[in-house]
Each structure stands twice: as C-alpha cells, then as structure tokens.
Amino acid sequence: MPISIRTLTQGDNDMTEPLFEKHRPRTYADVVGQDRAVKAIATLRPRGLGGRGYYLSGPSGFGKSSLAYLLAAEIAPDIGTTEVDATQLTPKDVEEWRLSCRSKTFEAPGGRVLLINECHGLRKDTVKMLLNLLDGQTRLPGYAAVIMTTTCEGQLQLFEGNVDAHPLMSRCVVLPMATKVEDVALPFAIRLRSIAQSEHLDGRSLVEYLAQVRRNKGNQRMCLNEIESGAMLVS
C-alpha cells in the first residue's frame, strides 16, 4: 500500500523548507479564513472525533490539507496516520487498513486515521469498500477515522463521473469550507503579511497583499512562494 506518514508537529526549522510548509498551521488557532470548519470540529469534539468519515473540499491553497492534518493529529499519532492518494488506493488496501484498526498495537499506540487525498480519483470498487467501512457491519471503531480531501474541481468530477458519490458523502461529516476568494481575502492577506514580516521579506502595504491574494485566486501556497522569492520586498 503506497503510504506516507506525515509529521504533524513542528520540529526545528530547516532553512531549506519552503515557507508554505514552514508556516503550515500547527494549531487550529493558526487557521485563518475557515472559522466555520474549525467551529464544526469543536462542536463534534465532545461527542468524539473518531468513528467517523470526514470530507473536505475547497480550492487549492485554502487550507483544507492543513485542517485535515490537524484533525488527523487529534485522532491518531503520526505513526497511526496513513496518508495516500486516492488513485493508488485499492479495496485490498482499505481492508488491510481496517484489519489494522482491530487493535492498537505497540507499533502504533492510540488511534488510526486513513487520510485520502484527491478523493475524486477513488475507484468504484474502492468506494464500495469505504461505504461498508463507514456504514456497515465492519464500522469504524471509536478511535479510528477516514478523512477525505478534494479540490472544488475534483468534487465536480466526483459527482459527474461513473461513481455515485452521494451515498459516500452522506456517510461523512462534510466540513463547511470557505471557497470564495472574497470570503478569505482579508484574513489571508493579514496572515501572509505577518509571515513576510517574520521572514524579513515584507515591504508592502496590506492593500498590496490583498491584491496578491486576489491575483492568485486565494491560493496561499502560491502567495508564499512569491513572498519567498522577494515579490513583496520594496525594489
């Protein structure tokens, strides 16, 4: 099964680490522009975050992956989080992951999370396995969760393709992500300027950061790459 285990806690800063990774939100308080999604997670927390499927959809660079990582970190330790691209996930992989959830062994104490990126690429037979996992005799234990992410464009493919996504979606908590640039432009601009200042890469007004966010269609990753290359320094 092709997996990557992501470290969700911040270690020593590496000078070669891109700004978008170095400044990826490490707590929910660091997440900007996605207040509704953060509030939804807080509402669910007293009932337990495990035993569920989650679905996050939004434009690139709007924070869905960061939210997915934070949610995963609440449910499982790094070693218990399996991250995989949907196109590489097979029914056998899902079954193996399900079996691994039967007990919390010393190799992976705590919970289990299956984090599926670009879930619009799921195969039809894999969707069937996930349906059974989220609502069937083999339901998730309370210490395990499935988290799926996709872009807005990917979501259109998911609903318009051969796979009927509605049954899968109905078995997940759909986190309410902000998807319009104007809804996130100001908090994103404030955050980007703060990062630029902390990295000594700032020389522009907040208005110019707003223009940058709009020009890049709200993609914070693209904005941070520009900032790192000196785009917001005064010539």
Side-chain angles (χ1 to χ4, degrees):
M1 181 177 181
I3 64 172
S4 62
I5 303 299
R6 181 180 182 82
T7 300
L8 299 171
T9 55
Q10 186 170 17
D12 296 333
N13 286 336
D14 186 344
M15 292 298 291
T16 63
E17 189 177 30
L19 285 188
F20 67 82
E21 285 294 350
K22 180 179 179 181
H23 292 278
R24 185 181 289 279
R26 307 294 172 177
T27 69
Y28 291 110
D30 297 329
V31 177
V32 298
Q34 297 296 350
D35 296 347
R36 289 181 62 209
V38 172
K39 184 177 180 179
I41 294 171
T43 301
L44 288 166
R45 191 174 290 118
R47 299 176 178 85
L49 295 175
R52 307 174 187 271
Y54 295 89
Y55 180 88
L56 297 88
S57 172
S60 295
F62 270 55
K64 62 182 177 297
S65 293
S66 293
L67 268 176
Y69 292 140
L70 289 170
L71 180 58
E74 273 205 83
I75 300 166
D78 294 346
I79 196 172
T81 298
T82 299
E83 183 179 3
V84 61
D85 187 274
T87 58
Q88 300 175 348
L89 190 66
T90 68
K92 180 181 178 182
D93 295 331
V94 176
E95 176 62 10
E96 289 177 351
W97 183 82
R98 183 188 71 81
L99 292 174
S100 79
C101 293
R102 284 184 170 179
S103 64
K104 295 178 282 185
T105 65
F106 69 91
E107 291 92 350
R112 297 283 195 283
V113 168
L114 178 60
L115 176 53
I116 307 172
N117 295 319
E118 307 299 335
C119 67
H120 59 272
L122 285 167
R123 293 167 29 176
K124 185 181 295 187
D125 52 359
T126 305
V127 168
K128 290 181 180 178
M129 289 292 294
L130 289 169
L131 284 171
N132 191 44
L133 185 65
L134 295 173
D135 187 16
Q137 293 182 350
T138 58
R139 292 195 64 169
L140 289 170
Y143 54 81
V146 175
I147 303 174
M148 294 179 284
T149 70
T150 187
T151 60
C152 292
E153 295 82 1
Q155 179 167 297
L156 290 175
Q157 295 177 36
L158 187 69
F159 282 104
E160 293 177 352
N162 293 323
V163 176
D164 182 0
H166 293 274
L168 183 59
M169 293 279 293
S170 69
R171 288 160 174 80
C172 294
V173 174
V174 180
L175 294 177
M177 299 287 294
T179 59
K180 296 180 180 178
V181 174
E182 286 308 309
D183 290 340
V184 299
L186 182 57
F188 280 11
I190 292 172
R191 176 177 184 268
L192 290 166
R193 189 183 187 193
S194 176
I195 291 172
Q197 290 172 340
S198 72
E199 296 288 343
H200 308 290
L201 292 168
D202 170 59
R204 304 288 179 175
S205 68
L206 183 59
V207 171
E208 290 171 287
Y209 283 93
L210 276 167
Q212 184 198 33
V213 171
R214 292 176 176 129
R215 184 177 66 253
N216 287 309
K217 300 180 180 179
N219 191 319
Q220 295 181 89
R221 190 182 306 108
M222 292 177 66
C223 291
L224 285 169
N225 283 335
E226 288 183 356
I227 290 170
E228 190 165 20
S229 68
M232 303 308 281
L233 290 169
V234 176
S235 305

